[in-house]
Amino acid sequence: MHEMSLAENIIQLIEDAALEQQFTQVITVWLEIGQLACVEKESLRFYFDVVTQDSIARQAKLEIIETAGQALCNQCKQDILIAAYHEACPHCGSYALQVTQGDEMRIKELEVR
Amino acid sequence: MCTTCGCSIGQTHINGKSMQLHQHSDRPLNYRPLKHSHAHEHNPMPAGTSHSSNSIHFGTGIAGTHAPGMSQARMVKIGRDILAKNNHYADENRRYLSEHGIFALNLVSSPGSGKTTLLVKTIEMLRGKLPIAVIEGDQQTDHDAARIRATGAPAIQINTGKGCHLDAHMIRHAIQQLPLQDNSLLFIENVGNLVCPSGFDLGEAHKVVTLSVTEGEDKPLKYPDMFYAADLMLLNKCDLLPHLTFDVELAIEYAHRIHPAMPVIQISATQGSGMPEWIDWIMSGCHSVATVKQDLKQSDSTFG
């Protein structure tokens, strides 16, 4: 359910940007969502449509770029890819991982006019 | 729901009173007017627009199309965290709390893990040691705040309406309304939900996740975000273990797969086992917050 809050946060940031950068219509919104971020993408798309209905981003296209989960294994010191927090290092089997990328949720850029 | 942007803040209540609608910018934001206003000059067609042939191409902008009188679309870099606003409020809360030496804990768990009972018992054990205040988060009712107030500690109830988590903006309002003393302890009992509260920083010192042994031991694997976000895990209702098939070692192993260094305290809030260790953990946090406040004061007087 927090995807609704995320969608509301997205539209707020877009409205701020609209005032700063002087645009009146948003055509496309690019998000960067990490593979490990606590976001259900389809739910976010649904709420994005609901929340943007009466806004500057009405009917804007939502593009979600998924960034891979990455971690540093504290045991064998290798950089590895992980798709979920509970995964073990594929090289040494350790769970002592330090996530270095993939938990972010960012608005990357907008296509506007 | 807020009629300006559709945010759900209108459903949020603090001690039964509706939280004020947030202010939208004075300048109206209009989406593209349906009628063309003709307020600007119509430029003549640009001649010889970079194409080598004699063609004039209006579709070279990023949108690849052209509407009469409309300028081409452009790209705007944002590069901001989606939760930037929440994080800004959380930073403000954190600064306020640290300046006043207030140790704030955000208690998270699924519904029914025993958070409120744990809080009541904790407050009783800490009575006389330091001032305590509580922010209670639930979708509806002020039952939990009433249970806390019965202990003598001030409590404020936030009802999130349909909301599934507390956010930093709600906490800021609650902090303003609570009688908070310097060098005190603030408990924030989040909405019972093992998913959504994980992503929302409230400005707390730590998230503390409670897992009860009447749940499955694989909860950490099923709801990894919360166990990743928490700095301490309390395994509650341990007095019931003789009647259950819950595997404590396995639950802790799973939690450590998600969050390797996370300390775990096995407790029974109702019977009292493990509670002294939990109280020690809280007190050591309070001491470090008080030290930070002292350092802040000293650096203020040095540079002020």
Side-chain angles (χ1 to χ4, degrees):
Chain A
M1 259 305 283
H2 69 296
E3 280 76 8
M4 174 131 181
S5 299
L6 296 181
E8 285 166 352
N9 279 279
I10 291 169
I11 188 65
Q12 279 184 25
L13 292 178
I14 290 175
E15 286 181 349
D16 288 355
L19 289 176
E20 282 166 21
Q21 313 245 9
Q22 306 283 310
F23 57 83
T24 53
Q25 190 194 3
V26 180
I27 303 158
T28 315
V29 178
W30 276 272
L31 303 181
E32 266 178 351
I33 305 282
Q35 218 174 358
L36 305 173
C38 187
V39 184
E40 182 49 46
K41 285 188 272 305
E42 285 320 302
S43 171
L44 182 59
R45 285 183 191 284
F46 174 81
Y47 285 115
F48 178 81
D49 288 345
V50 172
V51 167
T52 53
Q53 238 169 40
D54 294 320
S55 81
I56 190 171
R58 188 175 58 156
Q59 295 182 333
K61 212 164 104 189
L62 185 64
E63 296 280 359
I64 298 180
I65 303 162
E66 191 174 81
T67 51
Q70 278 183 25
L72 172 70
C73 175
N74 285 337
Q75 192 159 296
C76 68
K77 304 291 176 201
Q78 296 206 55
D79 285 314
I80 56 166
L81 289 175
I82 53 169
Y85 282 121
H86 64 259
E87 285 187 9
C89 172
H91 305 294
C92 71
S94 168
Y95 287 103
L97 309 179
Q98 204 179 314
V99 173
T100 50
Q101 182 199 289
D103 54 358
E104 60 280 321
M105 306 185 282
R106 299 175 71 77
I107 303 184
K108 187 170 182 269
E109 55 193 350
L110 308 173
E111 181 190 1
V112 302
R113 54 161 77 99
Chain B
M1 185 189 275
C2 165
T3 50
T4 312
C5 73
C7 71
S8 59
I9 202 167
Q11 294 177 343
T12 306
H13 289 75
I14 296 182
N15 274 358
K17 272 198 217 153
S18 181
M19 199 164 140
Q20 279 191 333
L21 286 175
H22 61 114
Q23 290 295 311
H24 285 273
S25 166
D26 298 340
R27 284 203 265 170
L29 273 170
N30 301 315
Y31 32 95
R32 197 173 117 207
L34 294 172
K35 278 186 189 164
H36 187 46
S37 68
H38 282 272
H40 60 93
E41 290 285 308
H42 275 263
N43 292 326
M45 281 185 174
T49 325
S50 79
H51 275 258
S52 54
S53 65
N54 292 328
S55 65
I56 299 168
H57 202 326
F58 283 101
T60 51
I62 192 139
T65 56
H66 175 73
M70 286 298 283
S71 60
Q72 280 287 308
R74 62 192 164 105
M75 300 300 288
V76 172
K77 289 258 175 232
I78 304 287
R80 291 186 76 186
D81 194 300
I82 291 176
L83 290 176
K85 294 223 165 183
N86 181 77
N87 296 343
H88 172 72
Y89 285 123
D91 288 345
E92 281 185 358
N93 292 346
R94 187 166 283 115
R95 191 177 322 119
Y96 176 88
L97 294 166
S98 119
E99 281 168 6
H100 291 268
I102 300 165
F103 185 53
L105 295 176
N106 179 2
L107 305 185
V108 291
S109 80
S110 46
S113 67
K115 285 191 302 298
T116 313
T117 302
L118 168 71
L119 261 183
V120 167
K121 298 287 177 184
T122 305
I123 292 167
E124 284 169 1
M125 290 177 77
L126 285 168
R127 185 168 288 145
K129 287 190 178 160
L130 78 172
I132 302 172
V134 178
I135 298 170
E136 280 289 342
D138 282 299
Q139 286 197 319
Q140 303 289 346
T141 84
D142 65 348
H143 292 179
D144 282 1
R147 282 175 68 186
I148 300 298
R149 286 185 201 120
T151 68
I156 203 158
Q157 179 78 49
I158 299 178
N159 287 133
T160 57
K162 304 288 178 210
C164 49
H165 58 271
L166 296 175
D167 64 40
H169 188 224
M170 298 174 190
I171 297 304
R172 189 171 87 148
H173 278 268
I175 286 175
Q176 285 165 353
Q177 288 185 36
L178 262 178
L180 279 182
Q181 297 183 41
D182 281 16
N183 306 318
S184 65
L185 177 59
L186 172 65
F187 288 114
I188 303 164
E189 185 182 337
N190 218 312
V191 177
N193 176 346
L194 216 39
V195 184
C196 310
S198 68
F200 291 81
D201 184 8
L202 305 180
E204 73 275 356
H206 303 286
K207 284 189 177 72
V208 175
V209 63
T210 300
L211 176 66
S212 64
V213 298
T214 51
E215 303 169 57
E217 53 269 278
D218 55 356
K219 277 249 171 110
L221 298 186
K222 289 177 172 171
Y223 302 97
D225 298 83
M226 192 63 88
F227 291 86
Y228 183 74
D231 295 320
L232 172 71
M233 175 169 130
L234 297 175
L235 193 59
N236 194 19
K237 307 189 187 178
C238 282
D239 55 301
L240 297 177
L241 280 171
H243 311 287
L244 304 167
T245 56
F246 188 90
D247 186 335
V248 172
E249 295 306 313
L250 191 59
I252 295 174
E253 190 203 316
Y254 284 155
H256 283 160
R257 280 192 195 177
I258 307 297
H259 192 153
M262 180 166 59
V264 179
I265 306 178
Q266 298 178 43
I267 61 166
S268 162
T270 54
Q271 303 303 307
S273 68
M275 290 295 281
E277 197 184 335
W278 158 235
I279 297 290
D280 287 347
W281 187 88
I282 294 172
M283 290 310 289
S284 98
C286 290
H287 287 308
S288 26
V289 167
T291 315
V292 169
K293 183 191 161 201
Q294 203 63 34
D295 292 348
L296 281 175
K297 264 194 169 170
Q298 273 171 8
S299 66
D300 272 1
S301 58
T302 313
F303 300 109

